[in-house]
Amino acid sequence: MRLRLAPPQGAFAEPHEVICALLEELGRRTESAGASLIGHLKCYVDAPSGESFHGSLTSLRSGPRCRGERAQGATSLTVDLTALVYGLSADQVEAVTLATLRHMQEQGRFEWELRELNHEHGHDQGDGHAHHHEA
Amino acid sequence: MNLLLFSGFLGSGKTTLIRAFAQRLTDEGLTACFIVNEVGEVGIDGRVLGDGGLDVYEITAGCICCEIASSLVTTAEQIVERYHPDLMIIEASGIAAPEGVLKALAHRRGELFQDQLVVSLVDPTRLEMLLAVALPLTEAQIGGADELVITKLDEATPDELAAARKTLRDLAPQTRVSEITSENPDSFLPLLGRLATFGASN
């Protein structure tokens, strides 16, 4: 999904921290919702300045990572977010993601706006294939 | 032109390794084109590689080992026609079986590309869980590799590393195994050297 994040006021001092917090909260919630395995939570982030970076989380134990430009002082962030998770349906992953965003807004981390919601892409379950869901 | 296929589960470190390898190719004066496949509609890995200055072809919204194999063939044909690189590098989606990707291209071997090499990456911190949740896929990625790479040495416990080494020995006893961590770029060097030699061998 594509999101636009805006700071509650002013600018994001440390966008990497915001995105890492988002990925970690999303990871926690997918596990709480019954995910058997986090495949990959990842995103690519663009700032109005032209700076960009990417974020990634493959397990809560390893934690989230952001790499790339810091985009400090960004007044908004455009986030392409992909959540590949085992053990939850596409609808469940989407619901967990939206609940995560609402929670973080309530916590005063950012305000968010959904720009685009991707369709699910299932995968054959024949030999050698896994089954995951994406939001 | 030779074909180098990077396989491995979601988040195993394929994009990180490819970025390092791209720098090595540049240093050695070799040319490469990159095909990145992601199952989602939005390509993240392709943009990450693009940030490194690489020419990247993205194939999204499906898996090239089955659903959209024809897109892979078409893209490979375009690359050969336009660029004639030394090496075509494919980053398979994390849920792809390498055999399926090679099968899609098999009828063009000798024409589009000469030799092929499959490198599969294994994340030791999640291998036990993967074997429980996605056994056929994991076996296919490990068993279908010409070279195996254990990643995230800095994150894995000694027990996880020992278990990963044993699993790879059991599933692919004849396959060379490298161990790397992005925290130590030197750990990449022997592997990158072998892959560059392969790239130069066409």
Side-chain angles (χ1 to χ4, degrees):
Chain A
M1 61 176 62
R2 172 164 290 180
L3 308 162
R4 181 180 178 277
L5 306 185
Q9 55 187 11
F12 288 117
E14 293 288 350
H16 282 209
E17 288 180 8
V18 174
I19 296 301
C20 281
L22 170 61
L23 292 172
E24 191 158 29
E25 184 66 23
L26 180 56
R28 265 198 296 268
R29 285 172 176 257
T30 53
E31 287 203 347
S32 297
S36 52
L37 175 66
I38 294 173
H40 204 173
L41 311 181
K42 57 183 173 178
C43 61
Y44 192 92
V45 184
D46 287 300
S49 63
E51 291 178 286
S52 62
F53 63 92
H54 57 279
S56 171
L57 184 142
T58 56
S59 73
L60 289 173
R61 194 188 88 188
S62 297
R65 285 187 181 182
C66 283
R67 287 180 174 154
E69 294 164 311
R70 301 207 67 84
Q72 289 167 313
T75 53
S76 69
L77 299 170
T78 300
V79 181
D80 286 319
L81 174 66
T82 297
L84 301 164
V85 174
Y86 284 72
L88 298 179
S89 70
D91 286 345
Q92 286 174 310
V93 175
E94 182 183 310
V96 169
T97 304
L98 295 176
T100 301
L101 291 164
R102 283 193 290 269
H103 170 77
M104 295 199 70
Q105 179 164 308
E106 288 165 6
Q107 296 292 309
R109 300 303 298 264
F110 53 68
E111 295 175 359
W112 64 279
E113 179 185 334
L114 183 61
R115 289 292 178 88
E116 195 176 314
L117 189 60
N118 299 330
H119 302 294
E120 177 202 357
H121 289 280
H123 200 268
D124 296 345
Q125 293 190 70
D127 290 344
H129 290 115
H131 189 53
H132 77 284
H133 283 293
E134 173 204 3
Chain B
M1 182 183 77
N2 284 342
L3 169 67
L4 181 53
L5 171 62
F6 286 92
S7 163
F9 188 63
L10 301 160
S12 58
K14 298 184 292 296
T15 307
T16 300
L17 177 57
I18 290 172
R19 283 187 74 159
F21 183 50
Q23 183 58 54
R24 177 65 176 254
L25 289 173
T26 302
D27 293 345
E28 301 212 1
L30 295 168
T31 57
C33 280
F34 300 83
I35 300 175
V36 177
N37 174 223
E38 291 191 72
V39 289
E41 279 185 351
V42 178
I44 307 286
D45 295 345
R47 296 175 73 185
V48 173
L49 287 173
D51 283 348
L54 309 181
D55 292 323
V56 179
Y57 286 73
E58 287 186 286
I59 303 176
T60 57
C63 181
I64 53 173
C65 85
C66 53
E67 298 166 308
I68 51 171
S70 60
S71 298
L72 173 61
V73 177
T74 304
T75 303
E77 288 171 345
Q78 289 172 354
I79 285 173
V80 171
E81 187 177 327
R82 291 181 191 173
Y83 299 108
H84 300 287
D86 297 308
L87 199 54
M88 179 164 61
I89 295 172
I90 300 175
E91 179 182 349
S93 82
I95 57 171
E99 184 184 6
V101 179
L102 296 177
K103 190 176 174 184
L105 290 166
H107 67 292
R108 304 301 302 274
R109 186 172 182 178
E111 184 184 354
L112 282 179
F113 62 97
Q114 305 306 314
D115 204 359
Q116 65 189 32
L117 188 74
V118 178
V119 179
S120 284
L121 280 66
V122 176
D123 173 358
T125 68
R126 295 187 295 165
L127 184 56
E128 184 181 357
M129 181 73 78
L130 264 179
L131 291 168
V133 173
L135 179 63
L137 172 68
T138 309
E139 288 179 332
Q141 291 181 339
I142 293 172
D146 300 305
E147 173 114 20
L148 289 161
V149 184
I150 297 176
T151 60
K152 305 186 182 182
L153 295 184
D154 57 308
E155 295 177 25
T157 65
D159 285 349
E160 287 170 338
L161 269 177
R165 290 171 183 143
K166 180 179 186 311
T167 298
L168 300 193
R169 274 198 308 272
D170 291 345
L171 292 177
Q174 304 300 321
T175 308
R176 185 203 303 260
V177 180
S178 302
E179 298 184 1
I180 64 173
T181 170
S182 58
E183 299 301 308
N184 176 16
D186 285 352
S187 67
F188 287 61
L189 296 178
L191 172 65
L192 297 184
R194 284 196 299 279
L195 299 183
T197 299
F198 170 74
S201 67
N202 63 325

